[in-house]
Amino acid sequence: MKRIHLFPGREKLALNRHPWIFSGAVARQEGSPGAGEIVEVRTAEGAFVAYGQYNPTSKIRIRLMEWVQAAEVDELWYRRRIEEAWALRLPLTRQTDALRVFFSESDGIPGLIADKFGPYLVVQFLTSGADRVKELITALFARTVPGLKGIWEKSDGDGRRLEGLPEVEGLLWGEAPGEIEITENGNRYLVNPASQKTGFYTDQRDNRSLVAPWLEGRSVLDAFTFTGGFAVAALAAGAKSVTLLDSSADALAQARRNLALGGWEPKEVLEGDAFQLLRDLKKRGDTFGAIVLDPPKLATSRDHLEKAMRGYKDLNLQALKLIESGGYLASFSCSGLVDFAAFREMIAFAAKDSGRRVDIVRQLHQAPCHPIRTSMPEAEYLKGVLLRVI
Ligand code: SAH
């Protein structure tokens, strides 16, 4: 196995089981490992650190996977990771048939994401290390997850580009999923992994059910609705009306269909940029009994963090201006770079500028099918608050 030697002192985080070795920490390497090859990482003094996936193109040069020198990253090793991941999700299968069954570093295989929608798995191989063991992983899922009909690959997104991998989509095992109907907390949704660019965000499952009771009887604006995740939960909980807002026409079309499944129609559908549309609503004199604000990841890198925080603050301020006295704002950030303290501080600044009294009623987190390994705080990416606005 090829060895990678770190600069002095650069092993500290890695020895605490943080899984990322950046290119700047690498002093020298023996031979030239291929993309995704398992390598051995050593300190400057030559002591063993861990085994991990090597990537020659990514800034994250090695993604660590195994810290026990005597262990072997072989078929049995991968099988254990898949079986552990499934065991953790088993209790959740009573609550929903849509859940994340594998969450990358948090479940021990960097770059591997798998979502289960009914009897289908939608799998992403986002690093070359995960891509290299695609066939093995597919076979392991097929034997571990009971009742599967098909495994569909949907390897897209920024991650693969950074690793120099092309986008890939197609059938890996069994039959291709068509439109899948899933049930979450008793609410039905349609998911279209193969035919459209729409999946379903299972990380918001608990938050949809925790927020919904506060929306009863209210006129709700579901901003960044995607396929209507919160809108359906709101209507099922007795919301008076929902307005859907998103920049994607496809997502909005799917959101309408999801509402129709429950026999509902939106009060209004707004397609466009939320930063602008929230201002337009204010100009029009519209108000809402509650708003859900679930923007995409605004902080994509440390360099853009300040700009992202201004974006979050602006959205929250504009939303607060639209809320009736005694109303609610459920506000989220899915940026791993924004921690809970920074998020709450941003909310406090938006509240101050709005001149409203704002109380935190609940703090909200990613669903447990997105676990957070204690050694990798970045995995805690989704955070939110339910606010009462006076
Ligand atoms: N709340 C959703 C998930 C939201 S994902 C759920 O529960 O499923 C983020 C959504 O924001 C995506 O649907 C994307 O199309 C939309 N989006 C991205 N940028 C936007 C913008 N500037 N204005 C409005 N919508 C935007």
Side-chain angles (χ1 to χ4, degrees), residues 127-148:
T127 61
S128 35
D131 201 62
R132 222 178 106 261
V133 286
K134 190 183 283 186
E135 270 178 44
L136 172 64
I137 298 287
T138 303
L140 289 171
F141 275 133
R143 65 179 275 180
T144 307
V145 181
L148 278 188

Side-chain angles (χ1 to χ4, degrees), residues 184 189 199-205 208 222-231 245-249 251-252 270-277 292-298 315 332 334:
E184 174 188 277
Y189 298 89
F200 187 75
Y201 288 99
T202 59
D203 54 359
Q204 289 283 26
R205 176 174 57 254
R208 292 186 191 111
D222 189 9
F224 306 94
T225 185
F226 188 51
T227 60
F230 279 94
L245 187 161
D246 204 280
S247 58
S248 158
L252 286 168
L270 302 168
E271 184 189 330
D273 176 26
F275 288 88
Q276 185 56 47
L277 286 171
V292 178
L293 204 58
D294 184 19
K297 184 163 95 178
L298 297 186
L315 284 172
F332 297 94
C334 59

Side-chain angles (χ1 to χ4, degrees), residues 8-329:
R10 297 303 290 270
E11 69 280 8
K12 290 203 178 90
L13 273 176
L15 285 174
N16 287 330
R17 302 206 170 197
H18 191 282
W20 295 344
I21 304 276
F22 287 92
S23 54
V26 174
R28 69 185 168 88
Q29 57 192 54
E30 294 170 10
S32 45
E37 199 174 316
I38 302 290
V39 294
E40 188 182 312
V41 176
R42 299 229 162 195
T43 64
E45 294 76 28
F48 175 81
V49 177
Y51 302 112
Q53 309 170 352
Y54 181 83
N55 191 291
T57 61
S58 173
K59 264 194 204 164
I60 304 179
R61 190 54 40 94
I62 304 139
R63 293 174 193 263
L64 302 178
M65 297 161 73
E66 178 56 64
W67 283 262
V68 176
Q69 188 168 12
E72 258 186 73
V73 183
D74 56 8
E75 288 198 18
L76 185 61
W77 186 95
Y78 283 101
R79 182 173 145 192
R80 291 218 178 95
R81 300 293 86 73
I82 301 283
E83 287 177 355
E84 285 166 2
W86 178 245
L88 176 68
R89 274 68 175 190
L90 213 47
L92 296 173
T93 56
R94 282 185 209 103
Q95 188 190 350
T96 183
D97 58 359
L99 69 167
R100 178 148 293 186
V101 301
F102 207 96
F103 183 40
S104 203
E105 278 91 346
S106 292
D107 284 305
I109 306 176
L112 177 62
I113 303 273
D115 289 327
K116 185 172 183 289
F117 300 122
Y120 296 94
L121 275 192
V122 178
V123 187
Q124 295 183 293
F125 301 90
L126 299 177
T127 61
S128 35
D131 201 62
R132 222 178 106 261
V133 286
K134 190 183 283 186
E135 270 178 44
L136 172 64
I137 298 287
T138 303
L140 289 171
F141 275 133
R143 65 179 275 180
T144 307
V145 181
L148 278 188
K149 284 191 182 157
I151 302 178
W152 183 259
E153 178 178 9
K154 187 150 202 173
S155 297
D156 54 14
D158 299 343
R160 268 183 84 91
R161 263 197 301 283
L162 292 174
E163 297 254 334
L165 295 165
E167 295 199 349
V168 180
E169 181 165 1
L171 186 64
L172 290 173
W173 179 87
E175 61 181 58
E179 186 166 68
I180 308 163
E181 187 179 307
I182 57 112
T183 307
E184 174 188 277
N185 304 312
N187 298 322
R188 296 187 297 152
Y189 298 89
L190 297 168
V191 184
N192 260 311
S195 57
Q196 273 180 43
K197 280 267 169 201
T198 53
F200 187 75
Y201 288 99
T202 59
D203 54 359
Q204 289 283 26
R205 176 174 57 254
D206 292 3
N207 300 332
R208 292 186 191 111
S209 79
L210 288 168
V211 167
W214 309 85
L215 307 180
E216 188 182 349
R218 295 181 181 274
S219 57
V220 178
L221 170 64
D222 189 9
F224 306 94
T225 185
F226 188 51
T227 60
F230 279 94
V232 167
L235 288 163
K240 191 168 75 190
S241 67
V242 299
T243 297
L244 305 174
L245 187 161
D246 204 280
S247 58
S248 158
D250 280 356
L252 286 168
Q254 189 72 13
R256 270 183 187 279
R257 298 187 61 218
N258 283 335
L259 259 61
L261 265 188
W264 298 295
E265 270 182 40
K267 180 176 163 216
E268 194 176 357
V269 177
L270 302 168
E271 184 189 330
D273 176 26
F275 288 88
Q276 185 56 47
L277 286 171
L278 291 174
R279 288 177 164 80
D280 295 347
L281 285 166
K282 180 72 189 165
K283 265 188 226 139
R284 222 164 74 173
D286 284 22
T287 61
F288 295 93
I291 297 180
V292 178
L293 204 58
D294 184 19
K297 184 163 95 178
L298 297 186
T300 46
S301 76
R302 259 178 221 288
D303 305 341
H304 297 127
L305 193 53
E306 223 175 287
K307 184 165 170 250
M309 294 316 292
R310 282 200 298 275
Y312 282 121
K313 190 196 144 188
D314 183 54
L315 284 172
N316 281 276
L317 176 58
Q318 302 314 322
L320 287 170
K321 289 180 177 174
L322 292 169
I323 293 179
E324 292 151 14
S325 184
Y328 293 90
L329 171 61

